[in-house]
Amino acid sequence: MIALREAWQAGLFHRGNWFPNIVAGAIVGVVALPLAMAFAIASGAKPEQGLYTAIVAGLLVSACGGSRVQIAGPTGAFIVILSGITAKHGIDGLQIATLMAGLILLAMGLARLGSVIRFIPAPVIVGFTAGIGVIIFVGQWRDFFGLPAVAGEHFHEKLWHLLQVFPQLHVATTAIAVLSLLLVVGAPRVHWLRRIPGPLLALVAATAIQAVFRFEGVATIGSAFGGLPRGLPGLSLPEVTLARVIELAGPAFTIAMLGAIESLLSAVVADGMAGTRHDSNQELMGQGLANVVAPLFGGFAATGAIARTATNIRNGGNSPLAGITHAVTLVLVVLFLAPLAANVPLAALAAILFVVAYNMSELRHFARMVRRAPRADVAILLITFSLTVLTDLVVAVNIGVILAMLQFLRRMSVSVEVSRQDAPDLEHELSRDGGTPPGLPPGVLVYGIDGPFFFGAVENFERALIQTHTDPRVLLIRLRRVPFMDMTGLQTLDEVIGKLRERGVAVVLCEANARVRQKLMRAGVLAALGEANYQDTLAAAAERCAQLAREQ
């Protein structure tokens, strides 16, 4: 109960903080109601399962997460992944994958990998979230326009089939959907409606219209799912077998990674809005616990929800009490208002998801990044976006991260400089440091490496040595500006030393930091070089070079 304990120590449970947190939690619960049902239906689950997920995850993350103000539940980012898992493995498979993902998140938190997740490059994150937004938008056309079911495994196939059946749209369904969309978008701009959440207003208005007029052919929660059951689910364990665990390992890892990214992004946004500081590792453990427990009570994957967390903060929430109140509000809805959900049109939920998809796509940010980012980053952004839409989110993220890593390595290798240093500069440096310039005799060359000496920088080093044209008698390599070496760099350095010694060129190394020197020692480079041919200071190395030059 880390979040609860820290809030208690900060004095946030004093009576003066109760009212604003209870009000904020109730408002967030109202906002979460239509979203939870919409996300569940879009993920291939029943609407009540979205509510169960929001209740369990909201309660556990608020109590055990790493942020005081985080609100958790089902989110739009999961829709593409979860709907694919449900279609292939059924709802039981989705719940098993969620449970496994929760265990992975717990392990990541215990291994203190919270800070590592944040290193995923911005073009990759923006690319796949925009792609998810496009998929959600097109995926809701059927419910929004009342279109017949279409086949197609891939996005472009579904899009083409939807365009073919578009003339068969249902007029009443489309009218309710358009009205709902206008209410979701327009309510915050009307002064006297500003305090009513747009999704709730759209849900109530559309439900009331359908309950009164009973338009034929308009799909509702009642006609599609039989309504919402009144009451809370009992504990139910999914049937877990070794074969299913192996089969669902990939989807579980995808859920865990996406959940970790979104929850930590939400926590960072919350820190900026509320002036707090979250614990990323504890946040992963809280999310992991929520995803382990939610499937046991009929739920599925959940993570930190940026929009609901922001709503919580804007309405005065500053402690876990708000998140707990949000969960209690949804419990009361399930217990007392469930029968009213039978008339909720699926078109209204589709309209809400239209807005969610637009917000996820971050269209302005996407366009600004395309215009202003470096060309390589723009290419990574567009490739990740295209692969998310046309192939698979997992493929898109993996390839996006790999491309970003390769681009980073390219930039790092270019930034590493291997330069020849002239005798006057060295003598000036020795004089400035208080040493006595020994004077380098003819035949001694000095090279300095500036930057990490890793496999990407090896080519620069070898090219610099080739440009000497004639072999010197002694080669001095300065390592003062080398922060680290990898195995490829160590192996290359050892090979270069061996080849130069075969040609009669003596090699001296100097000024490595403690970590680089330890690696040189462990790799056997210093043993092959000779103890006297490594010196800690430039002055000692210059004296050694002069001695070797006299001996030859």
Side-chain angles (χ1 to χ4, degrees):
M1 302 293 183
I2 299 296
L4 288 175
R5 186 184 67 197
E6 290 185 352
W8 178 271
Q9 292 173 348
L12 297 178
F13 286 140
H14 291 168
R15 187 167 297 179
N17 285 316
W18 288 7
F19 183 74
N21 280 282
I22 291 174
V23 170
I27 292 173
V28 174
V30 169
V31 171
L33 174 64
L35 293 176
M37 293 192 294
F39 293 148
I41 294 171
S43 299
K46 295 180 179 179
E48 64 267 22
Q49 290 181 293
L51 297 176
Y52 301 155
T53 303
I55 291 168
V56 175
L59 183 63
L60 290 176
V61 170
S62 293
C64 305
S67 172
R68 300 173 188 169
V69 293
Q70 179 86 284
I71 303 295
T75 66
F78 274 143
I79 289 176
V80 177
I81 293 297
L82 302 190
S83 59
I85 296 173
T86 305
K88 187 174 181 180
H89 303 284
I91 194 65
D92 287 343
L94 173 59
Q95 292 177 325
I96 294 172
T98 299
L99 195 153
M100 293 168 60
L103 296 175
I104 295 171
L105 285 167
L106 281 170
M108 292 169 64
L110 291 171
R112 309 196 68 79
L113 295 179
S115 59
V116 176
I117 299 296
R118 291 179 292 180
F119 293 149
I120 296 179
V124 177
I125 294 176
V126 174
F128 80 72
T129 53
I132 291 172
V134 170
I135 294 173
I136 293 174
F137 173 69
V138 174
Q140 293 305 306
W141 284 11
R142 180 191 173 195
D143 288 337
F144 190 94
F145 297 107
L147 301 175
V150 297
E153 182 179 355
H154 301 289
F155 173 83
H156 64 279
E157 296 172 341
K158 293 179 181 177
L159 177 61
W160 175 244
H161 291 152
L162 284 169
L163 291 174
Q164 288 180 316
V165 300
F166 196 79
Q168 303 178 36
L169 64 84
H170 190 267
V171 176
T173 299
T174 305
I176 291 175
V178 171
L179 174 63
S180 301
L181 183 61
L182 292 175
L183 289 173
V184 174
V185 176
R189 302 179 183 180
V190 179
H191 180 71
W192 54 279
L193 291 177
R194 191 170 299 168
R195 289 190 171 273
I196 304 176
L200 178 66
L201 184 62
L203 185 73
V204 172
T207 303
I209 290 172
Q210 178 61 20
V212 171
F213 294 100
R214 300 283 180 179
F215 293 112
E216 186 177 351
V218 174
T220 64
I221 287 180
S223 64
F225 302 98
L228 290 182
R230 177 182 289 182
L232 299 176
L235 179 65
S236 177
L237 298 175
E239 185 178 350
V240 181
T241 63
L242 180 60
R244 300 212 78 181
V245 169
I246 295 173
E247 186 180 29
L248 293 167
F253 185 78
T254 303
I255 293 173
M257 290 301 298
L258 189 57
I261 293 169
E262 188 167 8
S263 65
L264 294 179
L265 284 176
S266 178
V268 170
V269 171
D271 286 347
M273 294 181 65
T276 57
R277 185 175 181 181
H278 75 281
D279 183 330
S280 57
N281 296 310
Q282 185 60 42
E283 181 64 23
L284 290 182
M285 287 190 279
Q287 297 289 342
L289 182 61
N291 281 281
V292 169
V293 178
L296 305 181
F297 292 92
F300 51 88
T303 186
I306 297 177
R308 276 161 275 173
T309 299
T311 302
N312 178 38
I313 297 170
R314 290 193 192 104
N315 287 279
N318 63 359
S319 80
L321 180 59
I324 295 171
T325 303
H326 141 265
V328 172
T329 302
L330 292 175
V331 170
L332 295 176
V333 169
V334 172
L335 292 178
F336 299 106
L337 301 178
L340 301 178
N343 290 314
V344 173
L346 299 186
L349 299 179
I352 294 170
L353 288 180
F354 269 22
V355 178
V356 170
Y358 176 79
N359 293 334
M360 282 190 63
S361 67
E362 295 185 303
L363 186 59
R364 294 180 181 177
H365 182 47
F366 187 96
R368 185 166 58 250
M369 188 173 286
V370 170
R371 291 196 307 268
R372 300 180 181 178
R375 291 182 179 178
D377 291 329
V378 172
I380 293 170
L381 170 69
L382 296 177
I383 289 172
T384 304
F385 170 79
S386 301
L387 290 175
T388 301
V389 173
L390 299 176
T391 59
D392 181 75
L393 176 63
V394 180
V395 173
V397 173
N398 287 341
I399 292 180
V401 170
I402 290 171
L403 290 175
M405 290 174 60
L406 292 175
Q407 173 62 10
F408 172 76
L409 292 174
R410 187 190 70 82
R411 289 171 176 167
M412 287 289 292
S413 64
V414 172
S415 69
V416 177
E417 295 183 2
V418 182
S419 57
R420 180 174 174 177
Q421 300 180 348
D422 297 328
D425 295 332
L426 294 169
E427 292 175 0
H428 174 72
E429 184 177 343
L430 285 167
S431 300
R432 185 188 59 199
D433 294 339
T436 302
L440 292 176
V444 177
L445 291 183
V446 181
Y447 276 86
I449 303 176
D450 189 351
F453 193 50
F454 69 113
F455 63 91
V458 165
E459 183 180 355
N460 292 0
F461 177 67
E462 293 176 334
R463 188 187 302 117
L465 294 183
I466 291 173
Q467 291 174 354
T468 59
H469 300 297
T470 58
D471 286 341
R473 287 186 289 174
V474 182
L475 178 65
L476 172 60
I477 301 176
R478 303 184 66 186
L479 304 175
R480 180 180 60 173
R481 298 183 181 273
V482 177
F484 70 86
M485 280 189 176
D486 71 353
M487 191 59 212
T488 305
L490 292 166
Q491 183 176 330
T492 301
L493 185 59
D494 188 41
E495 291 174 355
V496 167
I497 291 172
K499 291 177 181 178
L500 289 172
R501 293 179 68 174
E502 289 175 0
R503 301 205 301 261
V505 179
V507 179
V508 177
L509 303 180
C510 69
E511 301 176 281
N513 63 42
R515 185 167 57 176
V516 171
R517 183 178 179 183
Q518 182 66 23
K519 289 185 177 182
L520 290 169
M521 189 179 300
R522 289 185 60 185
V525 175
L526 295 187
L529 185 69
E531 184 177 348
N533 289 340
Y534 173 82
Q535 300 294 331
D536 288 324
T537 65
L538 177 60
E543 292 179 3
R544 177 59 179 167
C545 289
Q547 179 184 352
L548 290 171
R550 288 193 299 269
E551 292 175 356
Q552 290 187 356

